[in-house]
Amino acid sequence: MSEPQAGIFIEGAASHFFLEYQLIEGLSEQQLRSTLAKAIALPLSDEVNSVWAFGADCWQQLAPACVPSALKPFATIGSGQRLAPATQHSILLWLHGNNHSANFDAAMAISSALAAVASLCLEKIGFLYKDSRDLSGFIDGTENPKGRGQQLVALIPEGEVGAGGSFVMSQQWIHNLASFHALSQSQQEEVIGRTKPDSIELDDERMPENSHVSRSDVKINGEAQKLYRRSVPYGGVLEHGLYFLAFSCDIQRFDRILASMFGCTDDGIHDHLTDFSTPVSGSYWFAPSAAELSSIGSL
Ligand code: HEM
């Protein structure tokens, strides 16, 4: 049994660091491998959960025998004003836990250990907002799989290349809360497709075909394209939004849901949520199993 990185499945942390690094060009394989292995092995406080994931190019360099064939970089989707841009980076580090100070110390120590091989190019500090709500005020995660279902949805099954690992998608979204909150509660509920206080799915008569639920609840040949979402709000007064983060056993599920949200399916309908929030980054990653991660120095 290939054990996953445990931090993927630990829920409810109050403090989150999302750090995206770009590899410096011209590194020797040995330099990259040994620096990364040291950074991954740094002792962290017990209160910090860490999840490491790698872009396709970086993982290919690190572990050519362990690359799932479907792994690929994120590609821009949509057109004109309504675009999900690709900003693919090399390494994603997600630190989370209830002790913000410990997360900060871990983020500083790991970034310093990586400095010779990678530069930090995107950093978002996330936090638990009320009872797991997005900053729009809606509960985020209601339809997430529960219990054993989380692993079935998120992990590459035993027997396949990358078993115990997971495909990951990340996107920084910037919210325009003033325009969203200018809507009545009923209109907001029709943007999301659920009620605001208690996250009950709207019934068929009230559910618009461009609601977020309508566009993200995608079925292909009857099979629901389920994700395990771990998104968290980030930011302050000047800039805020959602760092969308999701895990899947099948990278194509991300493509299919994004196509449905960004008007790239036959019906051409876009997700109404994209009128109130804008993605400004987009990457696909591979989060290897715990064993593959800890053997990076010797692969
Ligand atoms: C601004 C960005 C986003 C916000 C604020 C947001 C928020 C929400 C909320 C409030 C729900 C309903 C409650 C729930 O089931 O969790 C939801 C559902 C969902 N979202 Fe998002 N979301 C965002 C972006 C995305 C993206 C980029 C994807 C995938 C590419 C996605 C996939 C899903 C899925 C699969 C569901 C469950 C649909 C269902 O089966 O009912 N979301 N989201």
Side-chain angles (χ1 to χ4, degrees), residues 134 138-144 169 171 173 175 192 194 199 201 212-213 216-217 226-227 229 242 244 254 257-258 261 273 277:
D134 168 64
F138 283 79
I139 294 173
D140 193 7
T142 311
E143 268 303 313
N144 250 350
M169 173 182 148
Q171 266 185 331
W173 289 73
H175 287 0
I192 299 294
R194 285 187 173 265
S199 199
E201 192 168 315
H212 180 52
V213 165
S216 62
D217 183 9
K226 289 281 177 199
L227 307 177
R229 287 168 291 132
L242 187 77
F244 178 86
F254 301 133
I257 298 174
L258 285 170
M261 289 177 67
L273 187 56
S277 189

Side-chain angles (χ1 to χ4, degrees), residues 199-218:
S199 199
I200 310 285
E201 192 168 315
L202 302 187
D203 53 32
D204 289 351
E205 291 92 80
R206 224 190 127 198
M207 179 75 88
E209 56 185 358
N210 66 349
S211 75
H212 180 52
V213 165
S214 301
R215 301 317 295 172
S216 62
D217 183 9
V218 174

Side-chain angles (χ1 to χ4, degrees), residues 157-216:
E158 226 43 56
E160 292 184 19
V161 175
S166 187
F167 296 106
V168 189
M169 173 182 148
S170 68
Q171 266 185 331
Q172 180 197 348
W173 289 73
I174 300 180
H175 287 0
N176 183 343
L177 285 184
S179 68
F180 190 73
H181 288 145
L183 303 177
S184 67
Q185 179 168 315
S186 171
Q187 289 169 323
Q188 292 176 16
E189 292 177 337
E190 283 160 15
V191 172
I192 299 294
R194 285 187 173 265
T195 58
K196 192 165 185 180
D198 43 11
S199 199
I200 310 285
E201 192 168 315
L202 302 187
D203 53 32
D204 289 351
E205 291 92 80
R206 224 190 127 198
M207 179 75 88
E209 56 185 358
N210 66 349
S211 75
H212 180 52
V213 165
S214 301
R215 301 317 295 172
S216 62

Side-chain angles (χ1 to χ4, degrees), residues 17-19 21 42 44 48 93 95 100-114 120 123 125:
F17 279 66
F18 301 100
L19 305 167
Y21 302 87
L42 275 182
L44 303 180
V48 178
L93 174 64
L95 301 170
H100 191 69
S101 309
N103 286 343
F104 177 80
D105 288 345
M108 290 296 283
I110 296 175
S111 298
S112 162
L114 286 177
L120 182 59
E123 173 184 46
I125 312 299

Side-chain angles (χ1 to χ4, degrees), residues 4-226:
Q5 295 182 54
I8 296 172
F9 299 98
I10 297 170
E11 296 189 351
S15 159
H16 299 251
F17 279 66
F18 301 100
L19 305 167
E20 298 186 17
Y21 302 87
Q22 186 68 38
L23 289 186
I24 293 166
E25 285 183 21
L27 299 168
S28 75
E29 197 197 304
Q30 187 46 39
Q31 190 185 8
L32 171 60
R33 194 177 289 290
S34 64
T35 308
L36 253 178
K38 277 188 205 134
I40 290 166
L42 275 182
L44 303 180
S45 153
D46 291 348
E47 293 178 271
V48 178
N49 304 298
S50 60
V51 176
W52 290 84
F54 304 90
D57 290 353
C58 183
W59 189 240
Q60 176 68 39
Q61 242 176 298
L62 287 168
C66 310
V67 183
S69 58
L71 185 62
K72 59 184 179 179
F74 190 91
T76 296
I77 187 157
S79 58
Q81 296 279 13
R82 208 174 310 280
L83 210 66
T87 57
Q88 182 69 55
H89 292 131
S90 314
I91 303 170
L92 170 69
L93 174 64
W94 171 32
L95 301 170
H96 59 110
N98 289 326
N99 185 335
H100 191 69
S101 309
N103 286 343
F104 177 80
D105 288 345
M108 290 296 283
I110 296 175
S111 298
S112 162
L114 286 177
V117 299
S119 49
L120 182 59
C121 36
L122 192 152
E123 173 184 46
K124 290 292 146 225
I125 312 299
F127 58 95
L128 183 67
Y129 180 61
K130 301 181 178 169
D131 47 344
S132 270
R133 288 174 191 259
D134 168 64
L135 299 177
S136 60
F138 283 79
I139 294 173
D140 193 7
T142 311
E143 268 303 313
N144 250 350
K146 314 276 180 300
R148 174 88 190 113
Q150 295 175 344
Q151 300 217 350
L152 288 174
V153 163
L155 301 180
I156 297 173
E158 226 43 56
E160 292 184 19
V161 175
S166 187
F167 296 106
V168 189
M169 173 182 148
S170 68
Q171 266 185 331
Q172 180 197 348
W173 289 73
I174 300 180
H175 287 0
N176 183 343
L177 285 184
S179 68
F180 190 73
H181 288 145
L183 303 177
S184 67
Q185 179 168 315
S186 171
Q187 289 169 323
Q188 292 176 16
E189 292 177 337
E190 283 160 15
V191 172
I192 299 294
R194 285 187 173 265
T195 58
K196 192 165 185 180
D198 43 11
S199 199
I200 310 285
E201 192 168 315
L202 302 187
D203 53 32
D204 289 351
E205 291 92 80
R206 224 190 127 198
M207 179 75 88
E209 56 185 358
N210 66 349
S211 75
H212 180 52
V213 165
S214 301
R215 301 317 295 172
S216 62
D217 183 9
V218 174
K219 289 193 183 62
I220 303 287
N221 301 326
E223 193 194 340
Q225 303 295 292
K226 289 281 177 199

